[in-house]
Amino acid sequence: MLRGLQLGESRQKMKSTFAAAGFVSLLPENVRSHLLEQGRVRRYEKGELILQRGDTAREFWFIESGIVQIGRYSVDGKLTLFALLGPGESFGEQGFLGDFPRMVDAIAGNDVKLIEIGEADLMTAIESDSEVARIMLKAMANMVQQAFDVINAGRNFSTTERVAQALLQLRVEENGDVAVPVTQQELSELVGVSRISLGKALEKLEADGIIKRRYGRIMVRDWSALLGSSD
């Protein structure tokens, strides 16, 4: 069995530091709906660049559908993957709110539909409800805490536990068998281990009946076991 990794407390706390703790999803329903209605729909095909490191941050995005890869391209064109974000999550807030250049690249992992939100849209939301500003501050504080959590996890958790953490971060459905849309190469980059080490961790999880490996995805059979405690 795996240690809990404090994963059972809240799925939201597990989200990527690049998602600003789901800032848009934390807004009151009426404010969130209005904000998304004011935004502009943007569609990208698989492999298309959404934002580039060094760009001026004039907007951020809410994911309506599809998967967005967050990472950095090296000078030789190789992408180092940091996170995979899905429907209901947002990204780009750090540079937007901090008024500094983009720190990462964002690429469409498949066909995606985004809502682009600009400064005027956000200011309207803030003026409509004083709670919005407080939620923004909480979201940014969460990003700092999550960064420390990632560092701590890298120091204290085994490869198998880190793989379990990554799969839980990518969880979309709440129950039942779920095919997590991630390749083993992407997962090794997310966890920060070699393909060999990842293979051993996945082999253990599969032997325990927790996952099934499939081409281009991983089928999670037992979410509760993924959250279980160690022997």
Side-chain angles (χ1 to χ4, degrees):
M1 298 290 287
L2 304 174
R3 274 188 290 159
L5 308 177
Q6 295 80 45
L7 297 177
E9 297 178 5
S10 167
R11 179 173 176 254
Q12 190 61 54
K13 289 178 65 178
M14 300 295 298
K15 286 304 177 184
S16 162
T17 57
F18 299 100
F23 163 63
V24 175
S25 66
L26 294 175
L27 295 173
E29 173 60 33
N30 63 317
V31 178
R32 180 172 65 251
S33 298
H34 182 70
L35 181 63
L36 295 178
E37 287 172 1
Q38 296 303 306
R40 289 147 297 284
V41 175
R42 298 284 186 259
R43 298 180 187 275
Y44 295 86
E45 297 180 352
K46 181 178 180 179
E48 194 171 355
L49 190 65
I50 300 169
L51 65 84
Q52 188 171 21
R53 183 165 45 137
D55 285 350
T56 301
R58 296 190 176 92
E59 65 283 299
F60 64 99
W61 292 268
F62 177 83
I63 305 173
E64 282 275 340
S65 63
I67 299 294
V68 174
Q69 300 173 326
I70 303 295
R72 282 185 178 176
Y73 279 112
S74 63
V75 291
D76 61 1
K78 176 178 171 55
L79 176 66
T80 298
L81 193 64
F82 297 156
L84 292 175
L85 307 180
E89 298 186 89
S90 51
F91 64 97
E93 293 98 332
Q94 282 181 301
F96 176 79
L97 296 175
D99 194 26
F100 49 75
R102 302 292 187 193
M103 299 183 296
V104 296
D105 301 302
I107 307 95
N110 52 16
D111 291 346
V112 299
K113 177 183 178 183
L114 308 176
I115 304 296
E116 179 186 293
I117 301 170
E119 183 175 1
D121 306 315
L122 184 58
M123 289 307 299
T124 298
I126 292 174
E127 291 168 0
S128 70
D129 192 326
S130 59
E131 184 73 1
V132 174
R134 189 190 70 81
I135 291 173
M136 286 174 55
L137 291 174
K138 181 179 179 181
M140 299 304 289
N142 281 343
M143 283 197 297
V144 175
Q145 181 59 53
Q146 288 163 0
F148 283 115
D149 289 343
V150 169
I151 294 172
N152 184 59
R155 291 176 175 175
N156 299 321
F157 299 139
S158 70
T159 299
T160 303
E161 290 168 333
R162 288 157 63 190
V163 170
Q165 181 185 46
L167 291 173
L168 285 160
Q169 288 176 341
L170 298 172
R171 182 178 179 177
V172 176
E173 302 293 337
E174 294 302 321
N175 297 295
D177 291 1
V178 177
V180 179
V182 61
T183 66
Q184 292 189 36
Q185 180 61 44
E186 291 171 335
L187 191 56
S188 69
E189 292 175 0
L190 279 172
V191 178
V193 298
S194 69
R195 283 290 300 274
I196 294 175
S197 295
L198 176 72
K200 291 179 180 178
L202 292 176
E203 183 178 353
K204 181 181 186 306
L205 292 172
E206 192 166 29
D208 290 340
I210 298 174
I211 68 165
K212 274 285 191 182
R213 286 177 283 186
R214 294 287 186 265
Y215 180 75
R217 65 191 191 282
I218 294 173
M219 184 74 72
V220 178
R221 307 296 305 276
D222 191 339
W223 290 105
S224 61
L226 216 54
L227 283 165
S229 58
S230 63
D231 292 334

PDB file of all heavy atoms in Angstrom, residues 28-56:
ATOM      1  N   PRO A  28     -17.409  32.635  -6.853  1.00  0.00           N
ATOM      2  CA  PRO A  28     -18.851  32.391  -6.699  1.00  0.00           C
ATOM      3  C   PRO A  28     -19.473  32.100  -8.059  1.00  0.00           C
ATOM      4  O   PRO A  28     -19.043  32.651  -9.081  1.00  0.00           O
ATOM      5  CB  PRO A  28     -19.365  33.718  -6.123  1.00  0.00           C
ATOM      6  CG  PRO A  28     -18.170  34.320  -5.452  1.00  0.00           C
ATOM      7  CD  PRO A  28     -16.992  33.928  -6.284  1.00  0.00           C
ATOM      8  N   GLU A  29     -20.475  31.236  -8.084  1.00  0.00           N
ATOM      9  CA  GLU A  29     -21.060  30.767  -9.337  1.00  0.00           C
ATOM     10  C   GLU A  29     -21.470  31.911 -10.256  1.00  0.00           C
ATOM     11  O   GLU A  29     -21.190  31.901 -11.454  1.00  0.00           O
ATOM     12  CB  GLU A  29     -22.265  29.873  -9.041  1.00  0.00           C
ATOM     13  CG  GLU A  29     -23.061  29.452 -10.273  1.00  0.00           C
ATOM     14  CD  GLU A  29     -22.224  28.671 -11.274  1.00  0.00           C
ATOM     15  OE1 GLU A  29     -21.324  27.937 -10.843  1.00  0.00           O
ATOM     16  OE2 GLU A  29     -22.483  28.799 -12.491  1.00  0.00           O
ATOM     17  N   ASN A  30     -22.149  32.928  -9.702  1.00  0.00           N
ATOM     18  CA  ASN A  30     -22.630  34.028 -10.552  1.00  0.00           C
ATOM     19  C   ASN A  30     -21.479  34.838 -11.141  1.00  0.00           C
ATOM     20  O   ASN A  30     -21.519  35.258 -12.301  1.00  0.00           O
ATOM     21  CB  ASN A  30     -23.574  34.936  -9.760  1.00  0.00           C
ATOM     22  CG  ASN A  30     -22.885  35.612  -8.578  1.00  0.00           C
ATOM     23  OD1 ASN A  30     -22.123  34.992  -7.854  1.00  0.00           O
ATOM     24  ND2 ASN A  30     -23.146  36.893  -8.386  1.00  0.00           N
ATOM     25  N   VAL A  31     -20.408  35.024 -10.359  1.00  0.00           N
ATOM     26  CA  VAL A  31     -19.242  35.767 -10.833  1.00  0.00           C
ATOM     27  C   VAL A  31     -18.486  34.952 -11.877  1.00  0.00           C
ATOM     28  O   VAL A  31     -18.057  35.479 -12.913  1.00  0.00           O
ATOM     29  CB  VAL A  31     -18.305  36.129  -9.656  1.00  0.00           C
ATOM     30  CG1 VAL A  31     -17.058  36.855 -10.171  1.00  0.00           C
ATOM     31  CG2 VAL A  31     -19.040  36.992  -8.640  1.00  0.00           C
ATOM     32  N   ARG A  32     -18.321  33.660 -11.608  1.00  0.00           N
ATOM     33  CA  ARG A  32     -17.607  32.790 -12.548  1.00  0.00           C
ATOM     34  C   ARG A  32     -18.326  32.729 -13.894  1.00  0.00           C
ATOM     35  O   ARG A  32     -17.690  32.857 -14.953  1.00  0.00           O
ATOM     36  CB  ARG A  32     -17.483  31.382 -11.965  1.00  0.00           C
ATOM     37  CG  ARG A  32     -16.750  30.412 -12.902  1.00  0.00           C
ATOM     38  CD  ARG A  32     -16.459  29.090 -12.237  1.00  0.00           C
ATOM     39  NE  ARG A  32     -17.665  28.357 -11.905  1.00  0.00           N
ATOM     40  CZ  ARG A  32     -18.115  28.178 -10.665  1.00  0.00           C
ATOM     41  NH1 ARG A  32     -17.456  28.695  -9.642  1.00  0.00           N
ATOM     42  NH2 ARG A  32     -19.213  27.487 -10.436  1.00  0.00           N
ATOM     43  N   SER A  33     -19.630  32.560 -13.856  1.00  0.00           N
ATOM     44  CA  SER A  33     -20.401  32.470 -15.100  1.00  0.00           C
ATOM     45  C   SER A  33     -20.280  33.751 -15.913  1.00  0.00           C
ATOM     46  O   SER A  33     -20.080  33.716 -17.131  1.00  0.00           O
ATOM     47  CB  SER A  33     -21.878  32.189 -14.790  1.00  0.00           C
ATOM     48  OG  SER A  33     -22.023  30.946 -14.139  1.00  0.00           O
ATOM     49  N   HIS A  34     -20.362  34.885 -15.219  1.00  0.00           N
ATOM     50  CA  HIS A  34     -20.270  36.175 -15.914  1.00  0.00           C
ATOM     51  C   HIS A  34     -18.880  36.376 -16.497  1.00  0.00           C
ATOM     52  O   HIS A  34     -18.734  36.853 -17.638  1.00  0.00           O
ATOM     53  CB  HIS A  34     -20.604  37.317 -14.952  1.00  0.00           C
ATOM     54  CG  HIS A  34     -20.571  38.665 -15.598  1.00  0.00           C
ATOM     55  ND1 HIS A  34     -21.501  39.084 -16.522  1.00  0.00           N
ATOM     56  CD2 HIS A  34     -19.687  39.693 -15.472  1.00  0.00           C
ATOM     57  CE1 HIS A  34     -21.220  40.301 -16.934  1.00  0.00           C
ATOM     58  NE2 HIS A  34     -20.116  40.701 -16.311  1.00  0.00           N
ATOM     59  N   LEU A  35     -17.855  35.989 -15.730  1.00  0.00           N
ATOM     60  CA  LEU A  35     -16.473  36.149 -16.194  1.00  0.00           C
ATOM     61  C   LEU A  35     -16.230  35.324 -17.454  1.00  0.00           C
ATOM     62  O   LEU A  35     -15.629  35.811 -18.422  1.00  0.00           O
ATOM     63  CB  LEU A  35     -15.507  35.724 -15.086  1.00  0.00           C
ATOM     64  CG  LEU A  35     -14.010  35.843 -15.396  1.00  0.00           C
ATOM     65  CD1 LEU A  35     -13.627  37.300 -15.629  1.00  0.00           C
ATOM     66  CD2 LEU A  35     -13.188  35.255 -14.255  1.00  0.00           C
ATOM     67  N   LEU A  36     -16.705  34.092 -17.456  1.00  0.00           N
ATOM     68  CA  LEU A  36     -16.501  33.217 -18.613  1.00  0.00           C
ATOM     69  C   LEU A  36     -17.319  33.676 -19.816  1.00  0.00           C
ATOM     70  O   LEU A  36     -16.897  33.532 -20.969  1.00  0.00           O
ATOM     71  CB  LEU A  36     -16.857  31.773 -18.250  1.00  0.00           C
ATOM     72  CG  LEU A  36     -15.957  31.126 -17.183  1.00  0.00           C
ATOM     73  CD1 LEU A  36     -16.424  29.714 -16.868  1.00  0.00           C
ATOM     74  CD2 LEU A  36     -14.502  31.121 -17.623  1.00  0.00           C
ATOM     75  N   GLU A  37     -18.484  34.251 -19.553  1.00  0.00           N
ATOM     76  CA  GLU A  37     -19.307  34.779 -20.650  1.00  0.00           C
ATOM     77  C   GLU A  37     -18.625  35.978 -21.315  1.00  0.00           C
ATOM     78  O   GLU A  37     -18.752  36.177 -22.530  1.00  0.00           O
ATOM     79  CB  GLU A  37     -20.678  35.189 -20.126  1.00  0.00           C
ATOM     80  CG  GLU A  37     -21.586  34.012 -19.772  1.00  0.00           C
ATOM     81  CD  GLU A  37     -22.851  34.458 -19.074  1.00  0.00           C
ATOM     82  OE1 GLU A  37     -23.028  35.695 -18.887  1.00  0.00           O
ATOM     83  OE2 GLU A  37     -23.658  33.579 -18.694  1.00  0.00           O
ATOM     84  N   GLN A  38     -17.895  36.758 -20.514  1.00  0.00           N
ATOM     85  CA  GLN A  38     -17.222  37.942 -21.050  1.00  0.00           C
ATOM     86  C   GLN A  38     -15.934  37.587 -21.789  1.00  0.00           C
ATOM     87  O   GLN A  38     -15.444  38.359 -22.607  1.00  0.00           O
ATOM     88  CB  GLN A  38     -16.898  38.924 -19.912  1.00  0.00           C
ATOM     89  CG  GLN A  38     -18.107  39.497 -19.209  1.00  0.00           C
ATOM     90  CD  GLN A  38     -19.038  40.213 -20.165  1.00  0.00           C
ATOM     91  OE1 GLN A  38     -18.621  41.105 -20.901  1.00  0.00           O
ATOM     92  NE2 GLN A  38     -20.307  39.818 -20.171  1.00  0.00           N
ATOM     93  N   GLY A  39     -15.386  36.412 -21.482  1.00  0.00           N
ATOM     94  CA  GLY A  39     -14.144  35.994 -22.123  1.00  0.00           C
ATOM     95  C   GLY A  39     -14.358  35.609 -23.576  1.00  0.00           C
ATOM     96  O   GLY A  39     -15.482  35.519 -24.064  1.00  0.00           O
ATOM     97  N   ARG A  40     -13.248  35.356 -24.258  1.00  0.00           N
ATOM     98  CA  ARG A  40     -13.278  35.029 -25.678  1.00  0.00           C
ATOM     99  C   ARG A  40     -12.893  33.569 -25.887  1.00  0.00           C
ATOM    100  O   ARG A  40     -11.896  33.102 -25.322  1.00  0.00           O
ATOM    101  CB  ARG A  40     -12.309  35.934 -26.447  1.00  0.00           C
ATOM    102  CG  ARG A  40     -12.815  37.385 -26.537  1.00  0.00           C
ATOM    103  CD  ARG A  40     -11.686  38.363 -26.535  1.00  0.00           C
ATOM    104  NE  ARG A  40     -10.913  38.335 -25.309  1.00  0.00           N
ATOM    105  CZ  ARG A  40     -11.328  38.867 -24.158  1.00  0.00           C
ATOM    106  NH1 ARG A  40     -12.511  39.445 -24.075  1.00  0.00           N
ATOM    107  NH2 ARG A  40     -10.569  38.802 -23.066  1.00  0.00           N
ATOM    108  N   VAL A  41     -13.688  32.864 -26.671  1.00  0.00           N
ATOM    109  CA  VAL A  41     -13.423  31.456 -26.953  1.00  0.00           C
ATOM    110  C   VAL A  41     -12.231  31.333 -27.902  1.00  0.00           C
ATOM    111  O   VAL A  41     -12.157  32.018 -28.925  1.00  0.00           O
ATOM    112  CB  VAL A  41     -14.660  30.770 -27.580  1.00  0.00           C
ATOM    113  CG1 VAL A  41     -14.318  29.332 -27.984  1.00  0.00           C
ATOM    114  CG2 VAL A  41     -15.834  30.799 -26.611  1.00  0.00           C
ATOM    115  N   ARG A  42     -11.298  30.482 -27.543  1.00  0.00           N
ATOM    116  CA  ARG A  42     -10.126  30.206 -28.371  1.00  0.00           C
ATOM    117  C   ARG A  42      -9.993  28.692 -28.534  1.00  0.00           C
ATOM    118  O   ARG A  42     -10.117  27.936 -27.569  1.00  0.00           O
ATOM    119  CB  ARG A  42      -8.853  30.769 -27.729  1.00  0.00           C
ATOM    120  CG  ARG A  42      -8.857  32.291 -27.561  1.00  0.00           C
ATOM    121  CD  ARG A  42      -8.615  32.967 -28.894  1.00  0.00           C
ATOM    122  NE  ARG A  42      -8.471  34.405 -28.747  1.00  0.00           N
ATOM    123  CZ  ARG A  42      -9.424  35.290 -29.016  1.00  0.00           C
ATOM    124  NH1 ARG A  42     -10.615  34.862 -29.446  1.00  0.00           N
ATOM    125  NH2 ARG A  42      -9.212  36.578 -28.861  1.00  0.00           N
ATOM    126  N   ARG A  43      -9.729  28.244 -29.738  1.00  0.00           N
ATOM    127  CA  ARG A  43      -9.558  26.818 -30.008  1.00  0.00           C
ATOM    128  C   ARG A  43      -8.147  26.572 -30.554  1.00  0.00           C
ATOM    129  O   ARG A  43      -7.660  27.345 -31.376  1.00  0.00           O
ATOM    130  CB  ARG A  43     -10.609  26.324 -31.012  1.00  0.00           C
ATOM    131  CG  ARG A  43     -12.042  26.468 -30.497  1.00  0.00           C
ATOM    132  CD  ARG A  43     -13.050  25.963 -31.529  1.00  0.00           C
ATOM    133  NE  ARG A  43     -14.410  26.229 -31.131  1.00  0.00           N
ATOM    134  CZ  ARG A  43     -15.137  25.453 -30.337  1.00  0.00           C
ATOM    135  NH1 ARG A  43     -14.603  24.321 -29.883  1.00  0.00           N
ATOM    136  NH2 ARG A  43     -16.375  25.772 -30.017  1.00  0.00           N
ATOM    137  N   TYR A  44      -7.524  25.495 -30.089  1.00  0.00           N
ATOM    138  CA  TYR A  44      -6.186  25.128 -30.544  1.00  0.00           C
ATOM    139  C   TYR A  44      -6.169  23.641 -30.882  1.00  0.00           C
ATOM    140  O   TYR A  44      -6.806  22.831 -30.199  1.00  0.00           O
ATOM    141  CB  TYR A  44      -5.147  25.412 -29.452  1.00  0.00           C
ATOM    142  CG  TYR A  44      -4.987  26.877 -29.125  1.00  0.00           C
ATOM    143  CD1 TYR A  44      -5.823  27.494 -28.198  1.00  0.00           C
ATOM    144  CD2 TYR A  44      -4.005  27.653 -29.737  1.00  0.00           C
ATOM    145  CE1 TYR A  44      -5.694  28.841 -27.890  1.00  0.00           C
ATOM    146  CE2 TYR A  44      -3.853  28.990 -29.430  1.00  0.00           C
ATOM    147  CZ  TYR A  44      -4.706  29.585 -28.512  1.00  0.00           C
ATOM    148  OH  TYR A  44      -4.570  30.917 -28.204  1.00  0.00           O
ATOM    149  N   GLU A  45      -5.427  23.294 -31.928  1.00  0.00           N
ATOM    150  CA  GLU A  45      -5.282  21.898 -32.312  1.00  0.00           C
ATOM    151  C   GLU A  45      -4.089  21.282 -31.591  1.00  0.00           C
ATOM    152  O   GLU A  45      -3.206  21.990 -31.087  1.00  0.00           O
ATOM    153  CB  GLU A  45      -5.092  21.788 -33.826  1.00  0.00           C
ATOM    154  CG  GLU A  45      -6.285  22.283 -34.625  1.00  0.00           C
ATOM    155  CD  GLU A  45      -6.071  22.155 -36.122  1.00  0.00           C
ATOM    156  OE1 GLU A  45      -4.941  21.823 -36.543  1.00  0.00           O
ATOM    157  OE2 GLU A  45      -7.036  22.389 -36.865  1.00  0.00           O
ATOM    158  N   LYS A  46      -4.057  19.965 -31.536  1.00  0.00           N
ATOM    159  CA  LYS A  46      -2.991  19.253 -30.855  1.00  0.00           C
ATOM    160  C   LYS A  46      -1.620  19.709 -31.352  1.00  0.00           C
ATOM    161  O   LYS A  46      -1.378  19.781 -32.552  1.00  0.00           O
ATOM    162  CB  LYS A  46      -3.141  17.745 -31.077  1.00  0.00           C
ATOM    163  CG  LYS A  46      -2.071  16.927 -30.366  1.00  0.00           C
ATOM    164  CD  LYS A  46      -2.281  15.440 -30.560  1.00  0.00           C
ATOM    165  CE  LYS A  46      -1.205  14.634 -29.842  1.00  0.00           C
ATOM    166  NZ  LYS A  46      -1.392  13.180 -29.992  1.00  0.00           N
ATOM    167  N   GLY A  47      -0.738  20.033 -30.389  1.00  0.00           N
ATOM    168  CA  GLY A  47       0.616  20.451 -30.708  1.00  0.00           C
ATOM    169  C   GLY A  47       0.781  21.940 -30.935  1.00  0.00           C
ATOM    170  O   GLY A  47       1.908  22.436 -31.038  1.00  0.00           O
ATOM    171  N   GLU A  48      -0.330  22.680 -30.974  1.00  0.00           N
ATOM    172  CA  GLU A  48      -0.254  24.117 -31.242  1.00  0.00           C
ATOM    173  C   GLU A  48       0.165  24.869 -29.980  1.00  0.00           C
ATOM    174  O   GLU A  48      -0.284  24.564 -28.873  1.00  0.00           O
ATOM    175  CB  GLU A  48      -1.610  24.618 -31.732  1.00  0.00           C
ATOM    176  CG  GLU A  48      -1.571  26.002 -32.359  1.00  0.00           C
ATOM    177  CD  GLU A  48      -2.871  26.387 -33.030  1.00  0.00           C
ATOM    178  OE1 GLU A  48      -3.788  25.532 -33.101  1.00  0.00           O
ATOM    179  OE2 GLU A  48      -2.978  27.544 -33.474  1.00  0.00           O
ATOM    180  N   LEU A  49       1.040  25.864 -30.155  1.00  0.00           N
ATOM    181  CA  LEU A  49       1.536  26.656 -29.035  1.00  0.00           C
ATOM    182  C   LEU A  49       0.497  27.676 -28.606  1.00  0.00           C
ATOM    183  O   LEU A  49       0.001  28.457 -29.420  1.00  0.00           O
ATOM    184  CB  LEU A  49       2.830  27.367 -29.441  1.00  0.00           C
ATOM    185  CG  LEU A  49       3.631  28.062 -28.336  1.00  0.00           C
ATOM    186  CD1 LEU A  49       4.175  27.045 -27.341  1.00  0.00           C
ATOM    187  CD2 LEU A  49       4.775  28.876 -28.945  1.00  0.00           C
ATOM    188  N   ILE A  50       0.155  27.682 -27.331  1.00  0.00           N
ATOM    189  CA  ILE A  50      -0.835  28.610 -26.784  1.00  0.00           C
ATOM    190  C   ILE A  50      -0.147  29.854 -26.235  1.00  0.00           C
ATOM    191  O   ILE A  50      -0.564  30.977 -26.500  1.00  0.00           O
ATOM    192  CB  ILE A  50      -1.669  27.930 -25.681  1.00  0.00           C
ATOM    193  CG1 ILE A  50      -2.402  26.709 -26.251  1.00  0.00           C
ATOM    194  CG2 ILE A  50      -2.658  28.922 -25.063  1.00  0.00           C
ATOM    195  CD1 ILE A  50      -3.027  25.824 -25.193  1.00  0.00           C
ATOM    196  N   LEU A  51       0.877  29.653 -25.446  1.00  0.00           N
ATOM    197  CA  LEU A  51       1.685  30.774 -24.959  1.00  0.00           C
ATOM    198  C   LEU A  51       3.132  30.334 -24.917  1.00  0.00           C
ATOM    199  O   LEU A  51       3.442  29.152 -24.827  1.00  0.00           O
ATOM    200  CB  LEU A  51       1.205  31.277 -23.595  1.00  0.00           C
ATOM    201  CG  LEU A  51       1.314  30.366 -22.365  1.00  0.00           C
ATOM    202  CD1 LEU A  51       2.696  30.439 -21.732  1.00  0.00           C
ATOM    203  CD2 LEU A  51       0.271  30.763 -21.335  1.00  0.00           C
ATOM    204  N   GLN A  52       4.027  31.311 -25.002  1.00  0.00           N
ATOM    205  CA  GLN A  52       5.460  31.022 -25.069  1.00  0.00           C
ATOM    206  C   GLN A  52       6.201  31.733 -23.956  1.00  0.00           C
ATOM    207  O   GLN A  52       5.874  32.873 -23.603  1.00  0.00           O
ATOM    208  CB  GLN A  52       6.002  31.460 -26.430  1.00  0.00           C
ATOM    209  CG  GLN A  52       7.430  31.036 -26.702  1.00  0.00           C
ATOM    210  CD  GLN A  52       7.822  31.302 -28.150  1.00  0.00           C
ATOM    211  OE1 GLN A  52       7.214  32.117 -28.835  1.00  0.00           O
ATOM    212  NE2 GLN A  52       8.830  30.600 -28.631  1.00  0.00           N
ATOM    213  N   ARG A  53       7.184  31.047 -23.417  1.00  0.00           N
ATOM    214  CA  ARG A  53       8.003  31.652 -22.361  1.00  0.00           C
ATOM    215  C   ARG A  53       8.619  32.956 -22.857  1.00  0.00           C
ATOM    216  O   ARG A  53       9.146  33.036 -23.964  1.00  0.00           O
ATOM    217  CB  ARG A  53       9.114  30.670 -21.956  1.00  0.00           C
ATOM    218  CG  ARG A  53       9.984  31.171 -20.807  1.00  0.00           C
ATOM    219  CD  ARG A  53      10.812  30.063 -20.201  1.00  0.00           C
ATOM    220  NE  ARG A  53      11.454  29.203 -21.170  1.00  0.00           N
ATOM    221  CZ  ARG A  53      12.713  28.776 -21.071  1.00  0.00           C
ATOM    222  NH1 ARG A  53      13.471  29.158 -20.063  1.00  0.00           N
ATOM    223  NH2 ARG A  53      13.226  27.961 -21.962  1.00  0.00           N
ATOM    224  N   GLY A  54       8.534  33.987 -22.021  1.00  0.00           N
ATOM    225  CA  GLY A  54       9.062  35.297 -22.382  1.00  0.00           C
ATOM    226  C   GLY A  54       8.015  36.245 -22.929  1.00  0.00           C
ATOM    227  O   GLY A  54       8.255  37.459 -22.992  1.00  0.00           O
ATOM    228  N   ASP A  55       6.841  35.713 -23.319  1.00  0.00           N
ATOM    229  CA  ASP A  55       5.762  36.573 -23.814  1.00  0.00           C
ATOM    230  C   ASP A  55       5.281  37.515 -22.721  1.00  0.00           C
ATOM    231  O   ASP A  55       5.342  37.202 -21.523  1.00  0.00           O
ATOM    232  CB  ASP A  55       4.564  35.728 -24.277  1.00  0.00           C
ATOM    233  CG  ASP A  55       4.813  35.046 -25.614  1.00  0.00           C
ATOM    234  OD1 ASP A  55       5.821  35.376 -26.263  1.00  0.00           O
ATOM    235  OD2 ASP A  55       3.986  34.198 -25.995  1.00  0.00           O
ATOM    236  N   THR A  56       4.757  38.668 -23.123  1.00  0.00           N
ATOM    237  CA  THR A  56       4.104  39.570 -22.179  1.00  0.00           C
ATOM    238  C   THR A  56       2.772  38.961 -21.769  1.00  0.00           C
ATOM    239  O   THR A  56       2.002  38.495 -22.612  1.00  0.00           O
ATOM    240  CB  THR A  56       3.861  40.951 -22.817  1.00  0.00           C
ATOM    241  OG1 THR A  56       5.122  41.498 -23.215  1.00  0.00           O
ATOM    242  CG2 THR A  56       3.189  41.892 -21.827  1.00  0.00           C
TER     243      THR A  56
END
